[in-house]
Amino acid sequence: MSAQTSPAEKGLNPGLLCQESYTCSGTDEAVFECDECCSLQCLRCEEELHRQERLRNHERIRLKAGHVPYCDPCKGPNGHSPGVKQRAVVRCQTCKINLCLECQKRTHSGGNKRRHPVTVYHVTKVQELLEEEGMDEETKRKKMTEKVVSFLLVDENEEIQVTNEEDFIRKLDCKPDQHLKVVSIFGNTGDGKSHTLNHTFFYGREVFKTSPAQESCTVGVWAAYDPVHKVAVIDTEGLLGATVNLSQRTRLLLKVLAISDLVIYRTHADRLHNDLFKFLGDASEAYLKHFTKELKATTARCGLDVPLSTLGPAVIIFHETVHTQLLGSDHPSEVPEKLIQDRFRKLGRFPEAFSSIHYKGTRTYNPPTDFSGLRRALEQQLENNTTRSPRHPGVIFKALKALSDRFSGEIPDDQMAHSSFFPDEYFTCSSLCLSCGAGCKNSMNHGKEGVPHEAKSRCRYSHQYDNRVFTCKACYERGNEVSVVPKTAASTDSPWMGLAKYAWSGYVIECPNCGVVYRSRQYWFGNQDPVDTVVRTEIVHVWPGTDGFLKDNNNAAQRLLDGMNFMAQSVSELSLGPTKAVTSWLTDQIAPAYWRPNSQILSCNKCATSFKDNDTKHHCRACGEGFCDSCSSKTRPVPERGWGPAPVRVCDNCYEARNSQLDVTEAQGDDEGGTLIARKVGEAVQNTLGAVVTAIDIPLGLVKDAARPAYWVPDHEILHCHSCRKEFSVKLSKHHCRACGQGFCDECSHDRRAVPSRGWDHPVRVCFNCNKKPAGTSISVVTGKRPLC
């Protein structure tokens, strides 16, 4: 029983000292009261006394602030009124007993005991305790609710007005570990919902505002804590009221219903209207359809023993009549609940989400209304924990916050199905397919969890959006669905090699599993359509704000401009004539594997003449070494290197040895096949390189729009950086993100990564936001390189 005294407990009862003086000499503050020792004890005395075998099992209680002990003669076996305990007013220091006023007069009013020294307890506190003990249960309950106030929980715009769990608990004015339930009320405006809560839970005190005016006195959702029943009481805005944002306010009611354990539907009509049954029926359907999944996720996060979504709340229909009989009065053999179920079935509504539906009626011949029957029904339902268990207030706030985050935002009235109180449009995503107009079937704000848009119906093809995607037929036959996109180059090709192959063999379709499965100009004639041979087609939805299928990968012209810009920068850095520098650079980019790079050729391999900056270097197509023009002026076919039957440049030594076949391994032949295609294209480029170099001198702005991929924002529309909003000028260049196509400054787009979905298989410029997005394959990020405009 003993325990250490925490610092918070010290000073709780500064007037109560230890009455034992066993260890402390009566100077320490009292911490415990022992009924069997009939004394208040400090921590040390309590511990030492009750180490003794005969005192070990004594019952002790820890003192609270303002503690006053009971009278010892009253609570003892010889007390004057058995079973009745009175609070003590004094303690006799000689007799070491606590005495109430009556016992003091009876035992210490005469003789020597009249001179015994006494300690007087706090008179005011004694009087308060005596008054409290003299109260009946009803008065005590009223006193407990005297300081209760309500607060705005959610406003009419569905915005929660408490910042966090701690703020919610502080405004409720309850303990964080207190287990409680939630009771909410619904009904038409003017039916007295706030008045009902005030009289049912708070004994008539106006905790929730009421008003005789025509305007609704409750706007939004208000809450208060009932310390008697340990419930959070929620007052809601009335139905059928003249209000703006009607759709959002109606959706708010269902959020409140979803976190409630007990719902009161208040009606003041003489007969139960169909609106009551339609509201509860539609609320049940919407709860099961939209809220169950989110409440289960909240349950998992909060670790509740009983899931919030196992069953919905219990419902009590509180029906007050004046001129008509209560439901079931004219059918004594049938209970009202059965009649209510029959009404639901006739209207085609099925309140399956609610754990139970009860009817409680009262007929008011003369005001005021009698709420005692409703109070008893509520108390009976609150004691039932078989389907809905009490929970901490923090869990209630988390559930409301989760639902508010999920189901929020404006509701488009032009798409509303007004035949229901809670149409799907209140809770589902409002995005529409740009191609077919179908709506997304997922819940609101599903994008925050990375869930893509989905539609119930199939889409139709639109030439404007070209919403046709390809999947690899071979992978599909093996049970996998792998999307593929036409692009200018394979991922294994270098940028310039891929561009050269594109000019020679056309676009490619590459599967991550099968590799390149199609080239549009693989043969000189008779090339088949890929749809007939290697791919399957599917028509997909086009959702606003998404990249969709990303089919526009015809970026060969822009890649050429990127290369031209890089070449121009290289020329500037080397301070060489542009034609020679570009020729040398281009040759190395698309040279066959057996060629010696230009950077390593410093002199002719035969005559050893040193090359100057403006001298032309020639490669022998047979041996791959570098020569001057005079030592490599002869030509002959070199079919063993893949150059075909046409004569090509060779050095003098290889020309003289033309009758002997070169020893070229099969593996080398395979590696060189692709590079020779690029080299053939490269030689055609070299023949007109003067024109290409001239194009470098033309401002790129004049040709960039012609080469711009379709998804890029045109330069003339880009006035400021899409990220930092800096305005572009002559000194601040524009750069396009290869992923999203928006315009950025260099600081906001200096990262590099491959964008295979757009046809960029090698690291290219992307903005900060696109660089953060995950990719299906590994992303190589390159920084510190010279930018591509």
Side-chain angles (χ1 to χ4, degrees):
M1 186 67 195
S2 302
Q4 294 295 323
T5 306
S6 66
E9 291 172 335
K10 293 182 178 179
L12 290 178
N13 299 283
L16 297 180
L17 299 179
C18 178
Q19 297 171 350
E20 284 292 345
S21 304
Y22 185 78
T23 303
C24 68
S25 302
T27 57
D28 286 5
E29 183 180 331
V31 177
F32 292 95
E33 180 179 22
C34 179
D35 278 347
E36 295 177 70
C37 293
C38 297
S39 64
L40 303 180
Q41 301 167 5
C42 68
L43 189 66
R44 291 189 293 162
C45 290
E46 185 271 340
E47 186 173 5
E48 289 296 328
L49 277 170
H50 294 93
R51 282 180 180 175
Q52 303 175 44
E53 185 67 28
R54 62 186 181 86
L55 304 178
R56 187 169 297 171
N57 294 325
H58 283 188
E59 288 293 329
R60 290 94 73 192
I61 62 170
R62 188 179 290 272
L63 304 184
K64 297 181 180 179
H67 178 79
V68 177
Y70 285 106
C71 173
D72 293 324
C74 290
K75 66 185 180 183
N78 300 319
H80 64 279
S81 45
V84 180
K85 294 183 179 181
Q86 299 292 331
R87 294 285 178 178
V89 293
V90 296
R91 178 176 177 80
C92 178
Q93 299 293 346
T94 305
C95 301
K96 294 187 176 180
I97 58 173
N98 300 310
L99 299 168
C100 65
L101 188 60
E102 185 178 343
C103 290
Q104 183 189 17
K105 291 178 180 179
R106 182 169 55 85
T107 61
H108 285 62
S109 59
N112 293 331
K113 289 186 178 182
R114 188 172 57 179
R115 300 186 183 92
H116 287 184
V118 295
T119 302
V120 179
Y121 290 113
H122 199 283
V123 177
T124 306
K125 184 65 180 177
V126 173
Q127 289 175 344
E128 290 179 356
L129 291 171
L130 289 173
E131 289 175 2
E132 185 175 329
E133 289 172 354
M135 294 178 185
D136 57 14
E137 191 64 26
E138 188 77 6
T139 308
K140 288 181 180 179
R141 289 187 171 195
K142 288 183 179 179
K143 189 173 181 65
M144 291 174 66
T145 61
E146 281 181 354
K147 297 182 180 179
V148 175
V149 293
S150 62
F151 63 95
L152 180 62
L153 180 59
V154 186
D155 67 9
E156 65 273 20
N157 297 319
E158 296 185 288
E159 295 181 3
I160 298 179
Q161 298 300 299
V162 290
T163 55
N164 50 38
E165 291 179 45
E166 291 74 19
D167 190 29
F168 177 67
I169 295 170
R170 181 183 60 80
K171 288 186 176 181
L172 270 184
D173 194 20
C174 67
K175 296 179 180 178
D177 58 349
Q178 176 69 56
H179 285 76
L180 49 86
K181 289 189 174 183
V182 178
V183 177
S184 57
I185 192 167
F186 298 90
N188 292 335
T189 183
D191 274 358
K193 299 184 304 300
S194 302
H195 179 76
T196 300
L197 294 179
N198 290 337
H199 282 268
T200 304
F201 292 98
F202 306 108
Y203 302 93
R205 285 189 59 248
E206 192 169 313
V207 174
F208 296 105
K209 182 182 177 183
T210 59
S211 171
Q214 283 292 322
E215 292 78 15
S216 177
C217 55
T218 303
V219 177
V221 173
W222 292 72
Y225 175 63
D226 174 14
V228 176
H229 299 95
K230 304 294 189 296
V231 295
V233 184
I234 295 182
D235 190 14
T236 62
E237 197 168 336
L239 297 169
L240 306 181
T243 179
V244 295
N245 301 329
L246 178 61
S247 301
Q248 289 177 248
R249 296 189 179 193
T250 306
R251 180 174 61 188
L252 174 59
L253 296 180
L254 190 59
K255 296 179 190 177
V256 174
L257 183 144
I259 66 168
S260 301
D261 300 287
L262 188 56
V263 169
I264 305 169
Y265 192 99
R266 172 71 154 103
T267 176
H268 207 289
D270 277 341
R271 294 176 179 86
L272 297 180
H273 294 164
N274 285 346
D275 285 345
L276 181 155
F277 299 95
K278 290 180 179 179
F279 174 85
L280 292 177
D282 293 343
S284 172
E285 182 182 358
Y287 178 91
L288 294 174
K289 188 173 183 179
H290 302 288
F291 280 38
T292 300
K293 180 180 177 181
E294 188 61 30
L295 286 171
K296 283 182 178 178
T298 305
T299 300
R301 288 194 297 269
C302 300
L304 291 181
D305 295 332
V306 178
L308 289 172
S309 53
T310 306
L311 278 175
V315 177
I316 295 179
I317 298 175
F318 181 56
H319 184 203
E320 181 182 5
T321 66
V322 176
H323 305 291
T324 59
Q325 294 180 342
L326 299 177
L327 186 65
S329 298
D330 51 346
H331 298 280
S333 59
E334 295 185 355
V335 294
E337 284 75 11
K338 185 179 183 302
L339 298 175
I340 289 175
Q341 293 293 344
D342 291 340
R343 285 284 297 274
F344 275 117
R345 281 193 291 272
K346 289 178 181 178
L347 293 172
R349 300 298 201 274
F350 303 95
E352 300 170 347
F354 303 120
S355 57
S356 62
I357 297 180
H358 301 273
Y359 174 85
K360 192 63 186 178
T362 182
R363 187 170 180 179
T364 306
Y365 294 97
N366 296 302
T369 306
D370 180 14
F371 294 101
S372 60
L374 175 62
R375 187 182 301 114
R376 287 192 297 270
L378 284 168
E379 290 172 348
Q380 183 180 357
Q381 291 299 316
L382 290 173
E383 290 175 1
N384 182 4
N385 297 327
T386 55
T387 56
R388 308 276 290 196
S389 297
R391 54 209 183 274
H392 295 150
V395 175
I396 297 170
F397 175 79
K398 287 178 181 177
L400 180 61
K401 184 73 166 61
L403 295 176
S404 294
D405 291 343
R406 168 65 77 181
F407 304 106
S408 60
E410 295 183 1
I411 302 173
D413 288 334
D414 56 341
Q415 304 170 15
M416 201 70 62
H418 288 288
S419 59
S420 171
F421 268 98
F422 302 100
D424 287 345
E425 288 83 357
Y426 284 9
F427 312 102
T428 56
C429 177
S430 59
S431 295
L432 300 177
C433 173
L434 300 176
S435 179
C436 67
C440 177
K441 68 178 184 179
N442 289 331
S443 61
M444 287 185 164
N445 301 309
H446 59 87
K448 295 179 180 179
E449 297 179 355
V451 179
H453 293 288
E454 293 181 84
K456 295 180 181 179
S457 59
R458 297 180 65 86
C459 193
R460 62 170 180 264
Y461 178 75
S462 170
H463 179 73
Q464 177 184 358
Y465 300 105
D466 193 19
N467 53 329
R468 179 177 56 181
V469 297
F470 299 136
T471 56
C472 177
K473 185 176 292 185
C475 290
Y476 180 79
E477 292 173 353
R478 292 195 294 266
N480 298 322
E481 191 165 351
V482 180
S483 296
V484 294
V485 291
K487 52 186 180 180
T488 56
S491 58
T492 55
D493 292 333
S494 64
W496 273 91
M497 180 67 66
L499 186 60
K501 287 185 179 181
Y502 172 73
W504 187 264
S505 302
Y507 71 84
V508 302
I509 296 178
E510 182 179 21
C511 170
N513 299 329
C514 306
V516 176
V517 296
Y518 180 79
R519 285 189 181 274
S520 61
R521 292 197 301 273
Q522 186 171 3
Y523 308 105
W524 288 108
F525 61 90
N527 292 291
Q528 294 181 298
D529 191 282
V531 177
D532 299 329
T533 54
V534 296
V535 298
R536 298 174 63 254
T537 60
E538 182 181 354
I539 309 302
V540 297
H541 293 279
V542 186
W543 302 106
T546 59
D547 293 335
F549 33 85
L550 300 176
K551 284 183 55 184
D552 183 29
N553 299 313
N554 298 319
N555 51 24
Q558 183 60 40
R559 292 169 70 177
L560 180 62
L561 281 183
D562 288 345
M564 290 168 59
N565 186 60
F566 185 78
M567 286 190 290
Q569 292 167 351
S570 300
V571 169
S572 175
E573 290 173 354
L574 296 173
S575 300
L576 300 175
T579 304
K580 294 298 179 184
V582 169
T583 303
S584 176
W585 181 85
L586 178 60
T587 301
D588 282 344
Q589 293 296 312
I590 59 176
Y594 69 95
W595 279 26
R596 184 179 298 279
N598 278 285
S599 59
Q600 298 179 12
I601 302 174
L602 305 179
S603 59
C604 176
N605 192 57
K606 183 179 180 183
C607 66
T609 302
S610 297
F611 289 115
K612 297 180 180 178
D613 290 342
N614 293 327
D615 290 341
T616 302
K617 304 172 185 178
H618 299 281
H619 282 83
C620 172
R621 270 53 170 174
C623 64
E625 296 293 339
F627 299 89
C628 63
D629 183 67
S630 59
C631 295
S632 60
S633 58
K634 298 178 175 60
T635 60
R636 73 169 178 88
V638 188
E640 64 274 15
R641 289 292 195 183
W643 292 94
V648 291
R649 181 187 291 271
V650 293
C651 65
D652 293 344
N653 292 338
C654 292
Y655 182 78
E656 294 169 359
R658 63 184 177 277
N659 294 325
S660 61
Q661 183 71 22
L662 291 174
D663 184 15
V664 181
T665 64
E666 184 178 352
Q668 288 176 325
D670 292 340
D671 293 340
E672 293 165 2
T675 57
L676 287 175
I677 295 174
R679 178 59 195 165
K680 292 172 184 177
V681 176
E683 291 190 344
V685 173
Q686 289 181 31
N687 292 334
T688 57
L689 195 55
V692 175
V693 175
T694 303
I696 296 176
D697 296 331
I698 301 173
L700 286 178
L702 298 179
V703 293
K704 280 180 72 175
D705 270 348
R708 176 177 59 84
Y711 70 95
W712 281 25
V713 179
D715 278 22
H716 68 273
E717 296 181 10
I718 302 173
L719 304 179
H720 46 70
C721 175
H722 191 69
S723 177
C724 67
R725 316 305 292 178
K726 289 182 182 177
E727 290 191 7
F728 289 116
S729 61
V730 177
K731 295 182 179 180
L732 187 63
S733 300
K734 304 173 184 177
H735 302 281
H736 282 86
C737 170
R738 268 54 173 174
C740 65
Q742 295 290 342
F744 298 87
C745 65
D746 182 63
E747 292 181 0
C748 297
S749 61
H750 62 69
D751 288 332
R752 299 291 185 274
R753 66 176 269 186
V755 190
S757 59
R758 293 290 197 187
W760 308 93
D761 292 307
H762 297 273
V764 289
R765 179 188 293 273
V766 291
C767 63
F768 287 156
N769 292 332
C770 292
N771 191 43
K772 294 176 183 177
K773 294 180 180 178
T777 57
S778 59
I779 301 170
S780 56
V781 180
V782 182
T783 56
K785 289 193 173 183
R786 184 170 293 278
L788 302 177
C789 295

